[in-house]
Amino acid sequence: GLGLTNKKDENFGEWYSEVVVNGEMIEYYDISGCYILRPWTTSIWETLHEFFDAEIKKMKVKNCYFPLFVSSTVLEKEKDHIEGFAPEVAWVTRSGKSELEVPIAIRPTSETVMYPYYSKWIRGHRDLPLKLNQWCNVVRWEFSNPTPFIRSREFLWQEGHTAFATKEEADEELALSPLHNSSSLSSHYQSSSSAFLDDHFLYVLMALNHRFHVFQFQYSAVLQILELYRRIYEEFLAIPVIKGKKSEAEKFAGGLYTTSVEAFIPNTGRGVQGATSHCLGQNFAKMFEINFENEKGEKAMVWQNSWAYSTRTIGVMVMVHGDDKGLVLPPKVASLQVIVVPVPYKDADTQGIFDACTATVDALNEAGIRADTDFRDNYSPGWKYSHWEMKGVPLRIEIGPKDLANNQVRAVRRDNSAKIDIPRESLVEQVKELLGNIHQNLFDLAKQKRDACVEIVKTWDEFEAALDKKKLILAPWCDEEEVEKDVKTRTKERLVPGGGGGAAKTLCSPFDQPELPEGAREIGQEKNGYSVLCFGKAS
Ligand SMILES: O=C1CCCN[C@@H]1CCCn1cnc2cc(F)c(F)cc2c1=O
Ligand SMILES: [Mg+2]
């Protein structure tokens, strides 16, 4: 029948695969890790593209397009940049029957494609800042379990690559300002790190406590982009995310520091990286000799940032909002926000009902609401209800003889199944309000679920105890690589009844810092103007 055979809370992986197929977002492809993106998906990608593209253009970023292919000489020129990634690189080795002289890689990311030309184009300070972005696909031949949208061998993304004359422009000095606890997590913080537990990894959100100040990053180019990623998740996909800084071990190795927005999947207790914005410092300028003559006539190296979000955003949306009836689309990204279904009755005025449906759709479309009728005569109203619920359309409107007689429509919300009778004369504004309420409700529910998974710990024992409960753990953190590795090994060996075990991996250090927990051990020297707390220091 129409319904799902898998339940979200029973077998999440199978539920997810079934929902993206039955919702007509994805079609599986005969090459593992590759998926067909159907219109129900591409319309979401287009909405996010429209928002983000307009915003980066306000920042004077220009779009471009570099080739898909990278010669091996160029790709391997930067050994350290791609070391560790080599197994993921896909290669073209022949055309037709003849082997290629030099194997050609398919871009897994475009630093090695673009930066030799940055070096060529950037000569003097007047050539800066250079701000380019490209919307493209990338290929990473991953072997761990492929998952539509979340981990696929080819995916769509945007990659922004900016170059500046000075550090300040790239990274802007931290502007000191009093902490304002606007954070969605602040109400839960006592301590300062958190971990996501899942089958393989715990994700530790650590926080670097700045004893003297909590830095409020302002105007930094890196964080302007990160804010756009937050907006994509919270304002369009109704998903709460945590903004933070990656640990030394988890950051983009080629960069100076990495910031990210982190989402959370309650069903797996797993954190998922939503998007990243890096400050690269001058590392790539050194690697690719991207120099320029500065205003004083001296030779200087540029400062760079790079940033990306991908179709992974759509997978997170499915995982967070979907339910056992199928997809649940946040209204802002729903290509169809309202489906109008006629409910004719044997001797009732069928034509009148159909006309009322058409008039309803026209009125909604007139007001900029994406609405359509389902007049198919080969399906029953009941079948149509299930079908459009599976596809996650936020609002259904039914018009039957009674509605016609009362000059009203019956609206049914997809998020909470509430039924609302709306008089025709207030149709548009009530539907607009309903769509806004649906977005807010989806966000609030997701935030409640995430916050309910937050556990605060101050000692190693509490940390381990919380691990077993698939929690998101907040604990003080020292951000020392060897400690991070040690936490990973110490937690990897743990075997927990019920399979809750798993190694701990850090996720990010949230910018929204809590107060220092009293009594938390403060180990670690002054670093970059703030002291850090050590968590679970390997004794
Ligand atoms: O995350 C971004 C923003 C957009 C531009 N790229 C950076 C870092 C990408 C990190 N990364 C991520 N994955 C990779 C996979 C590879 F096969 C490979 F050769 C290189 C990489 C790799 O550099
Ligand atoms: Mg990867």
Side-chain angles (χ1 to χ4, degrees), residues 74 76 80 99 115 144 155 175 222 228 288 296 329 361 399 415 422 428 459 478:
V74 167
E76 288 161 351
D80 42 352
E99 292 293 309
Y115 295 171
S144 49
F155 58 87
V222 171
L228 293 182
F288 290 90
K296 293 176 230 140
L329 297 182
V361 164
I399 300 183
D415 61 325
I422 305 177
V428 169
T459 67
C478 58

Side-chain angles (χ1 to χ4, degrees), residues 81-82 85 88-89 108-109 111 140 161 252 276 278 306-308:
H81 162 48
I82 70 153
F85 286 123
E88 294 179 22
V89 179
T109 178
E111 283 79 2
R140 297 175 185 178
H161 297 267
F252 171 30
T276 49
H278 315 283
S306 73
W307 24 275

